[in-house]
Amino acid sequence: MHPTLTLTTLYGQQLLPVLDDVARLRITVFNDWPYLYQGSLQYERDYLAAYAETADAVCVVARAGEQVVGASTGLPLIDDGPAFRAPFEEAGFDPAQVFYFGESVLLPDWRGQGIGHAFFDAREAHARALGRFATTAFCAVDRAHDDPRRPAAHRDNEVFWRKRGYQRQVGMTMQLRWAEHGRGDVLHPLTFWTRALESAA
């Protein structure tokens, strides 16, 4: 990683001092493809407050000096909403044994320097240390490969995720609404990726 970059792992209410920084970062990063998200600061504050209220939640914050340039979150799936748990229950997973990764967001200038791996390492280590999870998981929005809005130079993260040991679970899909630029409120499909979490040595 870049020598000026620092990573800090926060738990539960430790997230509160950086909540607004992470909220603004989510709005900035998710504004781009593939999410095309037209976010609001109040919604983001409310969303992230749920992590701050969950004792076993984690947020890994990347800073360049004093600026927050990246963040990555996670919490026990059982502490997330029913829409997130339902695909696991239907597929035969015990939600109490799944640790869910909310998102990793990183400003473009800092990508390609190993921070994405560091985010996964820290969240997986936290889930492993808690000692009651068999699986880590996240979801990603499904977009058509021929969507005309897809930037020509865009590189999907699927190769990176597979190298981390995650597998896309076909059929384990949820639906979430968010506002897209120029389209208003849209229902989006998101499919889950999972990985078996090895026990601590």
Side-chain angles (χ1 to χ4, degrees), residues 115-136:
I115 302 169
H117 280 294
F119 282 162
F120 270 96
D121 288 343
R123 293 181 299 176
E124 289 166 0
H126 174 64
R128 192 176 298 114
L130 290 171
R132 62 180 191 272
F133 298 102
T135 304
T136 51

Side-chain angles (χ1 to χ4, degrees), residues 88 93 97-101 117 120-125 127-128 133-138 160-169 172 192-199:
F88 288 87
F93 286 83
Q97 295 186 355
V98 179
F99 194 87
Y100 174 70
F101 295 161
H117 280 294
F120 270 96
D121 288 343
R123 293 181 299 176
E124 289 166 0
R128 192 176 298 114
F133 298 102
T135 304
T136 51
F138 61 89
F160 168 67
W161 294 333
R162 292 186 190 281
K163 285 182 178 178
R164 293 288 316 187
Y166 288 85
Q167 295 183 343
R168 187 174 185 269
Q169 300 299 329
M172 285 183 60
F192 286 91
W193 293 64
T194 68
R195 174 193 172 189
L197 182 66
E198 67 276 13
S199 301

Side-chain angles (χ1 to χ4, degrees), residues 137-190:
F138 61 89
C139 64
V141 66
D142 297 327
R143 296 290 195 186
H145 287 288
D146 60 353
D147 191 312
R149 299 170 298 173
R150 179 188 293 268
H154 176 75
R155 290 192 309 167
D156 289 331
N157 289 319
E158 292 196 5
V159 171
F160 168 67
W161 294 333
R162 292 186 190 281
K163 285 182 178 178
R164 293 288 316 187
Y166 288 85
Q167 295 183 343
R168 187 174 185 269
Q169 300 299 329
V170 177
M172 285 183 60
T173 300
M174 63 180 295
Q175 305 285 329
L176 284 183
R177 288 190 178 275
W178 66 78
E180 281 191 13
H181 292 283
R183 297 185 68 192
D185 199 37
V186 179
L187 191 64
H188 301 84
L190 299 96

Side-chain angles (χ1 to χ4, degrees), residues 39-60:
S40 74
L41 193 57
Q42 186 56 55
Y43 173 85
E44 292 300 321
R45 285 172 176 154
D46 293 343
Y47 166 80
L48 291 167
Y51 283 82
E53 293 166 2
T54 303
D56 288 335
V58 63
C59 181
V60 188

